Amino acid sequence: MDGAMRLRALLCVSLLTLQAMPARGSPKRPKGNEVCLSLAQATAPSHLTVNGVLIRSLKVNCKVTSRFAHYVITSQVANTADTAREVAFDVEIPKTAFISDFAVTANGKAFIGDIKDKVTAWKQYRKAAISGENAGLVRASGRTMEQFTIRLVVGPRSKVMFRLTYEEVLKRILTQYNIVVKVKPRQLVQHFEIDVDIFEPQGISKLDAQMSFLSKEQATKLIKKSFSGKEGHVLFRPTVGQQKSCPSCSTTLLNGDFKVTYDVKREKPCDLLVSGNHFAHFFAPQNLTHLNKNLVFVIDVSTSMEGQKVKQTKEALLKILGDMRPGDYFDLVLFGTGVQSWRGSLVQASTANVLAAQDFIRRFSLAGATNMNGGLLQGIEILNKARESVPGVSNHAPILIMLTDGEPTEGVTDYYQILKNVRNAIGGKFPLYNLGFGHDVNLNFLEIMSMENNGRAQRIYQDHDATQQLQGFYDQVANPLLVDVELQYPQDTVSALTQHSHKQHYAGSEIVVAGRIADNKRSNFKADVQAHGERQFKITCLVDEEEMKKLLQERGHMLENHIERLWAYLTIQELLAKRMKMEGEEKAKLSDKILQMSLAYQFVTPLTSMTMRGMEDEDGLEPIIDKPEEAAFLLNTIHSHRSAFVLPAEQQPSPTDPSSGVQKLPDIVTGVDTDPHFIIHVPQKEDTLCFNINEEPGVVLSLVQDPNTGFSVNGQLIGNKARSPGQREGTYFGRLGIANPATGFQLEVTPQNITLNPGSGGPVFSWRDQASLRQDEVVVTINRKRNLVVSVEDGGTFEVVLHRVWKGSAIPQDFLGFYMLDSHKMSARTHGLLGQFFHPFDYKVSDLRPGSGPTKIDATMVVKNHQLTVTRGLQKDYSNDPRHGTEVTCWFVHNNGAGLIDGIHTDYIVPDIF
């Protein structure tokens, strides 16, 4: 297409990676200069190129103004080879950030992202998904980061530039702000640079930078950092030699986190900035006395917590109790099938009480189901009673913390009723913090519950450092300074305020409020802050107009722009949080408000998407950059791969290795394919048996069922769309359901899409994707347009083969094949049309004789106490070659496998695929 870039793959959302590989076939947002890339044509040193690809520059520029961080990542890449090469640009950005701009410059043309309503942006995607395609959206996430990936085929002696912009408001955690840049170029870079520029009107009190991939001594030599007054600067610009993993190596040591930390001076209690029609108020007063706290831990002790979870929970609780101050009061509540409290009322954190509680923690055991409602209400009751009956604790800061790893299964289990019960019992008197352990929790439910009760929820990842994660969360709320904090502004002066009422304020944190100021009302603007601490806290903050004039002179338009975008960012984040608990018309109105703000400020949020005009893949679909939501991350995406953008100048075909990344399969396996032909490999006989099942379209057949684990595979038949008059209607498997109830895993596979956990709205993948997904004990590997492999820990390994209609194909219908690659870990009780043959069985063949045709041979088979007439024939195994297949010689058992399969074939008909 003229002037456009042809696409052979799409964008993934959301490390700084540039990887060379063989080619494969309402202010507006700040834009900067979108100019054509001009790279020197000098021959690159060989040690800088990988497969002919040279990264000429890779630069990260971060500008922070009053906590608002604006990042621009720019990469210039050249293909020095005489043939096309593929490069990958991967960027990990914080989950809290919004992408606001993306551009690709190639062949003298700039392709710039266009942010629009997600419904509009996905219109083509959804049409494609219905017809069995996918616009290339892949969601991947770690604990705190999102991954964005784009791959581009760069022509011989050509160049390309990537430019990504994203923004976030930095949050103060444990006395510092953190700027984290993931660094992973995977090869030496001719010019590498990270440049962080910080401007804080209060003045900078400390500034540091560390790298996970360098020692402290090396970092001190290579990082230039300085701060004075309002300005701070960090520069990391290693030479090529300093990037090397060893002096004689051509590999890079840049692989990990580059982290800048800083804090601001707090000599004045007021930090109030006004620019244009917007303000930002930062509240974190110093020299306050820590309040004692009334703390109740509500701990899930259901049997699902067994193993490392309960071990790590106990380790964290023992450490937390040891850190409590003598003036604190506390109690412990355990909930399984029943509810048990340690004391039933608050006790002081004396040495004796702490030791007794620690002994209780060491000794408690797990029991039964999950009575979450009962545990929470017990904990709330203890805190409520203490306010009335325990002398001297009424002015303490009450805090309720719950830890759970699952969903309510005992007592009250209805989500809405639990929310109502907890809300009514707390009555707005204290915060509830929910910690969800692992991926089986409904984090959305926990977030709503916490939000309704002035707290927040956090996922604790089931990993080796879970103890440290729990301790880290507690450290953030361990030292309350103020309760019932109210930041108030003149009602006739301000509008569109972000959250300005907080139940508690903790040491090391910061409250940020932003809003709009009405025209001509700036002279009336002020902020009144009231709260309760060791004594009544009250202060009035006024705007220092002279100081604001100086700041505008120093920072100019950037200060004004950043304050307004800070307000927009905070407002959108808060509205998205509120939207979680809304339904119907109320949710629709709020969604529309979020959408309008996202479009006005050009943020990629969960309600907007970015498309790249002028780019399309081989099927004419545009790429989409999307903001994933937490609910999409119930699985861990290990690896995801797309084919690449292709420049229009490239006419030559891109060499592709179709087997790349595909698991090596056995030569002959047990499976079912085509109309549907069952192939049973009998390794101890070095032979193969075959049979067909003739049933109507729509019938669901049980293929594998392991009663010991509940693991099952069921397949639904579809009909032959194009049969001739009088021809028997062929049937094929058009829908497979793979389920592992022990972990709640379900996978629905059709010739169009692959859906994880379809009953709970899980993510949908296309056969155009290349991805590996993990959920608990199951790994699913999708090999683009070819097959997928499902591996179950302590279970089996299965393959699903995709059959597409192609010119000359004898099959007029897209369908699926299913093969068993490894079944030795399946239990001896495994059954189903295929499953019953996973373990050794015996048969004898004798009396070979001419069959009904000149080339056919019949024989007598004795199997399972049945004497059968069988015929020697050929079937095709498509497990290694989905298009052409491999011929397999087998003994064919007639009449739907009668005599070979247990019972009759209709015994294997089941109601649905799950």
Side-chain angles (χ1 to χ4, degrees), residues 461-516:
Y461 290 84
Q462 194 172 342
D463 210 338
H464 67 280
D465 65 342
T467 300
Q468 288 72 34
Q469 294 177 59
L470 290 165
Q471 177 73 38
F473 173 84
Y474 172 76
D475 289 344
Q476 295 179 47
V477 299
N479 297 301
L481 299 173
L482 298 169
V483 298
D484 299 325
V485 184
E486 296 286 342
L487 298 94
Q488 299 172 337
Y489 310 87
Q491 291 186 2
D492 62 342
T493 302
V494 301
S495 62
L497 283 174
T498 60
Q499 184 182 351
H500 54 98
S501 176
H502 294 261
K503 206 65 198 169
Q504 295 183 0
H505 170 60
Y506 301 98
S509 68
E510 180 178 65
I511 294 172
V512 183
V513 182
R516 281 202 299 249

Side-chain angles (χ1 to χ4, degrees), residues 14 51 148 173-174 204 304 312 474 518 583 685 749 763 881:
S14 315
N51 195 34
F148 170 102
I173 299 174
L174 298 176
I204 297 172
S304 59
Q312 292 169 322
Y474 172 76
E583 294 182 344
K685 292 280 191 177
V749 187
D881 183 353

Side-chain angles (χ1 to χ4, degrees), residues 313-335:
T313 298
K314 288 186 175 188
E315 288 173 354
L317 286 172
L318 291 171
K319 177 69 168 61
I320 288 168
L321 287 178
D323 290 342
M324 293 187 73
R325 295 191 300 272
D328 293 338
Y329 281 69
F330 73 102
D331 196 9
L332 303 161
V333 175
L334 311 180
F335 66 92

Side-chain angles (χ1 to χ4, degrees), residues 422-642:
V422 172
R423 188 170 58 243
N424 290 342
I426 292 178
K429 295 187 288 292
F430 48 81
L432 164 62
Y433 296 100
N434 285 324
L435 303 179
F437 207 140
H439 280 286
D440 292 334
V441 294
N442 185 333
L443 194 66
N444 188 61
F445 167 59
L446 298 183
E447 285 178 331
I448 292 172
M449 189 194 305
S450 290
M451 187 170 29
E452 289 185 342
N453 295 283
N454 302 294
R456 62 186 173 90
Q458 179 174 313
R459 189 186 299 282
I460 302 298
Y461 290 84
Q462 194 172 342
D463 210 338
H464 67 280
D465 65 342
T467 300
Q468 288 72 34
Q469 294 177 59
L470 290 165
Q471 177 73 38
F473 173 84
Y474 172 76
D475 289 344
Q476 295 179 47
V477 299
N479 297 301
L481 299 173
L482 298 169
V483 298
D484 299 325
V485 184
E486 296 286 342
L487 298 94
Q488 299 172 337
Y489 310 87
Q491 291 186 2
D492 62 342
T493 302
V494 301
S495 62
L497 283 174
T498 60
Q499 184 182 351
H500 54 98
S501 176
H502 294 261
K503 206 65 198 169
Q504 295 183 0
H505 170 60
Y506 301 98
S509 68
E510 180 178 65
I511 294 172
V512 183
V513 182
R516 281 202 299 249
I517 303 175
D519 293 338
N520 305 316
K521 292 285 188 177
R522 182 161 163 169
S523 59
N524 300 333
F525 180 72
K526 65 175 183 175
D528 292 315
V529 184
Q530 298 183 42
H532 298 284
E534 185 184 35
R535 59 183 63 88
Q536 185 75 11
F537 181 94
K538 189 172 183 180
I539 191 171
T540 296
C541 297
L542 301 175
V543 179
D544 187 333
E545 292 289 352
E546 289 302 315
E547 181 63 22
M548 285 306 307
K549 288 179 183 177
K550 291 180 183 178
L551 293 176
L552 286 170
Q553 289 174 353
E554 293 178 57
R555 206 64 169 178
H557 173 71
M558 185 177 292
L559 177 66
E560 184 173 350
N561 185 279
H562 279 199
I563 289 177
E564 182 172 355
R565 293 181 73 78
L566 178 148
W567 164 78
Y569 172 97
L570 291 177
T571 301
I572 292 171
Q573 292 282 25
E574 290 181 7
L575 293 177
L576 286 169
K578 290 180 182 176
R579 179 173 170 264
M580 286 194 304
K581 62 179 182 178
M582 292 185 175
E583 294 182 344
E585 186 177 345
E586 191 178 29
K587 183 173 184 177
K589 288 181 179 179
L590 189 61
S591 297
D592 185 62
K593 185 176 181 180
I594 297 169
L595 173 61
Q596 296 311 315
M597 285 197 69
S598 301
L599 293 174
Y601 290 90
Q602 291 289 278
F603 287 138
V604 176
T605 71
L607 297 184
T608 55
S609 294
M610 180 186 285
T611 59
M612 301 294 291
R613 304 297 294 177
M615 289 185 176
E616 57 183 38
D617 71 0
E618 59 192 359
D619 298 300
L621 300 176
E622 290 183 352
I624 294 177
I625 300 171
D626 195 48
K627 175 74 175 175
E629 297 187 74
E630 173 67 29
F633 302 130
L634 296 178
L635 71 159
N636 172 28
T637 304
I638 304 167
H639 174 70
S640 187
H641 177 74
R642 299 283 180 187

Side-chain angles (χ1 to χ4, degrees), residues 635-636 638-641 660-663 738 745 747 749 754 756 765-767 769-775 778-792 797-801 821:
L635 71 159
N636 172 28
I638 304 167
H639 174 70
S640 187
H641 177 74
S660 176
V662 179
Q663 180 175 339
I738 303 172
F745 170 86
L747 190 73
V749 187
I754 300 128
L756 184 70
F765 294 85
S766 158
W767 284 99
D769 293 326
Q770 176 81 29
S772 291
L773 322 168
R774 179 187 297 276
Q775 181 177 306
V778 185
V779 175
V780 180
T781 303
I782 305 170
N783 296 305
R784 185 176 185 266
K785 292 185 176 181
R786 181 183 176 91
N787 67 353
L788 69 83
V789 178
V790 180
S791 298
V792 184
T797 302
F798 309 85
E799 178 195 17
V800 179
V801 172
L821 306 185

